[in-house]
Amino acid sequence: MTVSPKLRTIIVDDDAEVAVLHARFVAVHPAFEVVATAHSGPDALRLIELHRPDLVLLDFDLPGLSGLEVLRDFRALGGHQPEVIAVTAARDVDSVRQARSAGIQHYLVKPFTAANLQARLEDVARDRLAMLGSQTTDGLAQRDIDALMRSGATGRAPAGRPAPLPKGLSAPTLETVEGALAGAPNSSAAEIATLSGLSRVSARRYLEYLVSVRRARKSLDYETAGRPSARFSVLH
């Protein structure tokens, strides 16, 4: 039986204790190994060039260079490009938009649970290992190509054949809303609207769609005064 290579991972966080914790989270997953840790932007760039990892867990608030600057600089280098999971306290609209435009599909807002990270690692492992397999065979099977294409559209592969979006909804905006929700679970439509740069009405339409296709859950918060408010979270 062929054993798949482990996906080499670099942890980038300015807080050494947090970096150690994230490294432990990653080490639990059998498909990954941590090869280096960086605590500043310049060190992150140097280690990415040195180790050519498959995955970078990237904090945004770094000394020397911000995480977004690190991302911009190694994207500009071309060649080998690792997958990136943003692990950051930044939840402003501009940061989310810049991350999305740079190709980040996974955005985790601190603090998050080990289960949240494990779900993202599963997505990365599926996609990266499929791509690695294509380098040593005659190419990807159709089912692998389909899974990768679905993953690229939404950040993870939904079960079954993807249905066309309802009229008035767009795939890029859906990706933005789902990414914002993944980074800010148990949020209201108004909160997701702020993160996504949408109106509250538009954000609610996308959230309700995600609930209808079982990619998000909706619950009612009875702690608020007056009418209960709807809260949304992604389904893993």
Side-chain angles (χ1 to χ4, degrees):
M1 182 178 68
T2 302
V3 177
S4 298
K6 288 199 172 187
L7 299 175
R8 305 166 78 250
T9 304
I10 291 179
I11 310 294
V12 182
D13 200 291
D14 67 320
D15 188 316
E17 291 185 0
V18 171
V20 168
L21 179 62
H22 291 172
R24 288 175 179 166
F25 285 171
V26 172
V28 169
H29 196 295
F32 295 86
E33 62 176 350
V34 176
V35 297
T37 301
H39 304 302
S40 71
D43 276 349
L45 269 179
R46 178 180 59 82
L47 291 170
I48 290 169
E49 290 187 61
L50 176 65
H51 291 284
R52 298 172 61 84
D54 300 289
L55 173 66
V56 178
L57 264 64
L58 183 63
D59 188 15
F60 283 1
D61 187 13
L62 299 169
L65 293 170
S66 72
L68 285 169
E69 289 172 323
V70 170
L71 183 64
R72 178 202 64 202
D73 287 353
F74 76 70
R75 292 289 195 226
L77 293 173
H80 176 81
Q81 293 292 322
E83 188 73 39
V84 176
I85 299 177
V87 287
T88 175
R91 55 192 306 156
D92 58 284
V93 173
D94 193 47
S95 293
V96 174
R97 284 177 172 168
Q98 288 187 64
R100 178 175 172 269
S101 67
I104 290 182
Q105 297 182 12
H106 306 281
Y107 194 110
L108 286 173
V109 175
K110 297 176 181 176
F112 52 84
T113 67
N116 291 147
L117 180 55
Q118 291 296 313
R120 304 314 190 279
L121 292 175
E122 280 295 322
D123 290 342
V124 173
R126 180 192 63 244
D127 294 350
R128 298 296 287 197
L129 291 174
M131 296 298 281
L132 286 172
S134 71
Q135 298 173 7
T136 56
T137 68
D138 292 333
L140 294 171
Q142 182 65 54
R143 64 179 179 276
D144 296 325
I145 294 171
D146 292 342
L148 287 169
M149 294 300 290
R150 290 195 298 270
S151 178
T154 64
R156 59 190 177 91
R161 184 180 180 85
L165 291 175
K167 185 177 180 179
L169 302 188
S170 72
T173 305
L174 179 65
E175 179 185 350
T176 298
V177 171
E178 193 168 14
L181 188 61
N186 199 35
S187 291
S188 67
E191 291 165 337
I192 295 302
T194 299
L195 287 173
S196 305
L198 301 172
S199 70
R200 184 180 61 80
V201 172
S202 294
R204 179 175 287 277
R205 283 196 65 201
Y206 282 94
L207 291 167
E208 294 289 358
Y209 171 75
L210 289 171
V211 171
S212 72
V213 295
R214 299 185 179 181
R215 281 157 53 187
R217 71 168 64 89
K218 178 180 177 181
S219 60
L220 293 178
D221 180 6
Y222 291 94
E223 299 297 323
T224 56
R227 295 177 58 187
S229 63
R231 314 295 293 187
F232 299 87
S233 295
V234 292
L235 285 173
H236 301 302

